[in-house]
Amino acid sequence: MKILFICTHNRCRSILSEAITNHLSQGNLKAYSAGSQPVGEVHPLSIKYLQARGISTQGLKSQSWDEFESINPDVVVTVCDSAANESCPVWFGQCIKIHWGLPDPSKLEGTEDEIRNAFFAVMDTIEVRTKKILAVDFEHMNKADLKRTLISISEE
């Protein structure tokens, strides 16, 4: 299954989701990330905290969702409320679309410990949801059942 994580700027939450999903799935899923208005760079703390957890950051980059039409993702996951409310490209029409609504730790002001803890909390949520997806026998599910299952995971 191919999952495309979308966030408006594609610099933090979608990047974290891509890296963590690919790390945990060991090839059983293929995750990508993109943005509707990418800023062109990954937030440095996204890289720092992924590396702190031993997750590869190789190949991560901020890029437009227009670059992913040819991969035909099975699932598109919006991770920020802004992206969830945007008009999506027509080619998303065949995908299952779900929303995770993750808080943005890169916008937090506070001590280094508070910021690190905010990043780790978001990363923990992504990890839990990814593990639940990996436990699903999605290859033997129809599209409607898969969508219901993915929505229930996002609401837990």
Side-chain angles (χ1 to χ4, degrees):
M1 179 165 46
K2 295 178 281 187
I3 301 176
L4 176 60
F5 292 97
I6 300 288
C7 193
T8 303
H9 300 298
N10 188 218
R11 67 188 306 253
C12 184
R13 293 166 283 181
S14 53
I15 294 286
L16 295 172
S17 298
E18 172 188 4
I20 292 167
T21 300
N22 283 329
H23 176 77
L24 293 174
S25 73
Q26 300 177 350
N28 292 319
L29 302 173
K30 178 61 181 156
Y32 306 88
S33 69
S36 58
Q37 302 168 33
V39 295
E41 67 179 14
V42 175
H43 195 283
L45 293 178
S46 297
I47 300 296
K48 177 180 178 176
Y49 294 124
L50 285 167
Q51 290 174 340
R53 289 217 170 153
I55 298 170
S56 174
T57 59
Q58 184 175 355
L60 295 176
K61 61 183 180 175
S62 177
Q63 54 201 328
S64 172
W65 60 17
D66 294 330
E67 298 179 40
F68 289 94
E69 181 176 4
S70 65
I71 68 156
N72 297 315
D74 301 295
V75 179
V76 172
V77 180
T78 53
V79 294
C80 71
D81 293 337
S82 296
N85 294 322
E86 292 176 339
S87 296
C88 294
V90 172
W91 58 267
F92 281 6
Q94 301 304 314
C95 307
I96 294 173
K97 293 178 270 312
I98 60 171
H99 180 61
W100 280 8
L102 301 170
D104 188 351
S106 71
K107 292 191 176 180
L108 181 68
E109 294 183 21
T111 67
E112 186 176 332
D113 283 346
E114 290 169 332
I115 293 169
R116 182 191 66 242
N117 291 342
F119 266 87
F120 285 165
V122 169
M123 294 169 72
D124 290 345
T125 298
I126 295 165
E127 184 175 322
V128 166
R129 290 177 181 175
T130 299
K131 286 180 177 179
K132 288 180 180 181
I133 291 170
L134 288 167
V136 171
D137 185 12
F138 54 84
E139 292 190 22
H140 295 99
M141 296 179 91
N142 65 44
K143 192 171 182 176
D145 288 341
L146 178 58
K147 182 173 184 170
R148 277 191 292 281
T149 300
L150 294 174
I151 289 170
S152 71
I153 289 170
S154 69
E155 294 173 342
E156 293 176 3

